Amino acid sequence: MKKQKIFIACDTTSLKKIKKIIKETQNSKLIFGYKFGLQFLNSKNGRKFVSSLKNKITFGDYKLADIPNTCASAIKAVRDLKLNYITIHISSGLKALKAAKKVSGKTKLIGVTILTSLDNKSLKEIGFEKEVKKLVLHQAKLASKAKLDAIVCSPQEIKIVKKVFKKEIITPGIRLSGDSKDDQIRVMTPRQAFQNGATALVIGRSLTDNIKKNMQRLSKELN
Ligand code: C5P
């Protein structure tokens, strides 16, 4: 069976915590990658640490949302990090997605759909007319058109996305059984997400709140 892939959301500014996360996730049954977001990448030592990582799968969660030139320039500016993955909001528009893809080289470009912290009510608040599922389907078609390498969506939308997007489907909004949703809304357990067809998961707090103990819980849930 193909090994299951999990990106750990390294949402901290503490190098000590990140080193501990990496140490505790050396597990031969699963493939781990490390997702660094704005918090760590903008911290004093964050960028340097990421550039020093060797033989690790790295994911720069920049969530770009800007005009085409700015998105492309930002991607060029982090080329030296040799990241395996970078994120851009699909809502940046088709031209920005294409401009970003043109310069992303070997780094896989991931299109982010509607955030897993939003529901239909929040979409209405922002001014969107469509409901979550329809909007995610629409965005997945755009990601396909722009030839993006992967999509980030909630595990609740995997089946819809799969109809129109044939590459990697990466799902945050993951909680081990019984854990609090925190600020997330559209969540599932790791097992359910893989069963629905996720090619990789992003898991943060449900693992990192107590990495050693929660790694054991994860192994049990996936067995
Ligand atoms: O702690 P938790 O598992 O909720 O963390 C999820 C991670 O995935 C965070 O780093 C968040 O920024 C990211 N993310 C998300 N929803 C998206 C895209 C990324 O939660 N749609």
Side-chain angles (χ1 to χ4, degrees):
M1 205 176 104
K2 219 174 141 195
K3 277 190 190 177
Q4 290 166 318
K5 185 151 84 180
I6 294 174
F7 292 102
I8 312 279
C10 299
D11 293 330
T12 172
T13 53
S14 160
L15 284 183
K16 200 173 151 206
K17 274 192 192 155
I18 291 194
K19 284 178 187 166
K20 187 168 180 206
I21 289 172
I22 294 177
K23 186 168 163 247
E24 297 291 344
T25 49
Q26 304 308 307
N27 172 323
S28 58
K29 290 195 183 132
L30 298 164
I31 298 174
F32 284 98
Y34 302 93
K35 184 180 89 65
F36 303 101
L38 296 178
Q39 183 183 8
F40 187 66
L41 290 164
N42 286 308
S43 68
K44 202 152 192 278
N45 300 309
R47 194 186 196 286
K48 200 166 156 211
F49 178 80
V50 175
S51 75
S52 73
L53 279 178
K54 300 271 175 301
N55 304 318
K56 298 277 179 279
I57 305 174
T58 55
F59 179 143
D61 196 7
Y62 292 94
K63 290 210 182 67
L64 300 171
D66 219 312
I67 61 171
N69 181 57
T70 305
C71 289
S73 306
I75 290 174
K76 284 193 224 162
V78 295
R79 255 184 201 155
D80 60 300
L81 294 180
K82 297 190 171 66
L83 294 160
N84 297 103
Y85 295 84
I86 278 187
T87 50
I88 182 168
H89 275 288
I90 295 175
S91 58
S92 303
L94 187 58
K95 281 187 185 158
L97 299 178
K98 283 184 173 170
K101 181 63 190 156
K102 211 171 169 181
V103 298
S104 56
K106 283 187 186 157
T107 301
K108 289 190 174 176
L109 191 62
I110 309 173
V112 178
T113 59
I114 301 301
L115 295 170
T116 41
S117 55
L118 301 175
D119 57 9
N120 285 328
K121 187 168 164 259
S122 8
L123 285 188
K124 248 193 177 156
E125 257 165 21
I126 306 169
F128 288 117
E129 302 279 334
K130 284 192 167 81
E131 56 178 35
V132 175
K133 285 194 164 47
K134 286 198 173 139
L135 208 46
V136 172
L137 174 68
H138 193 91
Q139 293 188 328
K141 285 182 191 161
L142 209 60
S144 187
K145 206 168 178 181
K147 300 193 167 51
L148 301 192
D149 304 290
I151 269 195
V152 155
C153 63
S154 150
Q156 298 181 9
E157 289 111 42
I158 300 169
K159 288 186 178 157
I160 296 172
V161 168
K162 262 188 181 298
K163 286 186 196 160
V164 294
F165 189 84
K166 306 294 174 193
K167 298 188 220 166
E168 291 184 55
I169 301 179
I170 303 172
T171 62
I174 302 293
R175 288 293 179 270
L176 297 182
S177 299
D179 278 3
S180 152
K181 284 186 180 182
D182 306 302
D183 52 353
Q184 298 281 19
I185 293 186
R186 300 179 349 262
V187 301
M188 273 191 185
T189 65
R191 194 185 178 85
Q192 289 170 325
F194 278 129
Q195 275 171 351
N196 274 8
T199 57
L201 314 183
V202 169
I203 317 182
R205 289 161 286 185
S206 213
L207 283 181
T208 56
D209 281 353
N210 183 340
I211 188 76
K212 201 168 183 168
K213 180 175 139 224
N214 293 334
M215 279 292 289
Q216 289 170 0
R217 292 173 63 208
L218 174 71
S219 297
K220 266 194 202 153
E221 287 197 21
L222 288 178
N223 260 331

